Amino acid sequence: MSARAVPFHCPFCGDEDLRPHEAEDGTSPHGAWECRSCLRAFKVSMIGQLRRPASATSTGPSTGTPTGTPSGGVR
């Protein structure tokens, strides 16, 4: 994974004219972008990873056999 993800579209207007945002003091905050079309600045940051949803082969609540498996356990 790259250290810096680049957004392709402005989340406000959908335009593609995005550039890294520079604060008035000349610094560039990490993940900050500006849209030259709607003149808005926004920040992109990762919150965390999501858990995978339970799959169809997870153990059923009462039978102890995987969901979708016949009662003999053989497919």
Side-chain angles (χ1 to χ4, degrees), residues 23-63:
E24 291 185 18
D25 62 358
T27 62
S28 181
H30 182 71
W33 294 89
E34 58 186 49
C35 175
R36 296 289 174 101
S37 180
C38 68
L39 301 175
R40 290 183 171 137
F42 59 94
K43 187 172 182 177
V44 177
S45 65
M46 181 171 168
I47 298 171
Q49 279 189 299
L50 300 175
R51 294 183 186 178
R52 292 180 185 231
S55 66
T57 59
S58 65
T59 304
S62 61
T63 62

Side-chain angles (χ1 to χ4, degrees), residues 5-32:
V6 178
F8 295 107
H9 303 280
C10 172
F12 299 101
C13 71
D15 199 77
E16 298 177 359
D17 190 9
L18 302 177
R19 300 182 188 182
H21 175 67
E22 291 185 13
E24 291 185 18
D25 62 358
T27 62
S28 181
H30 182 71

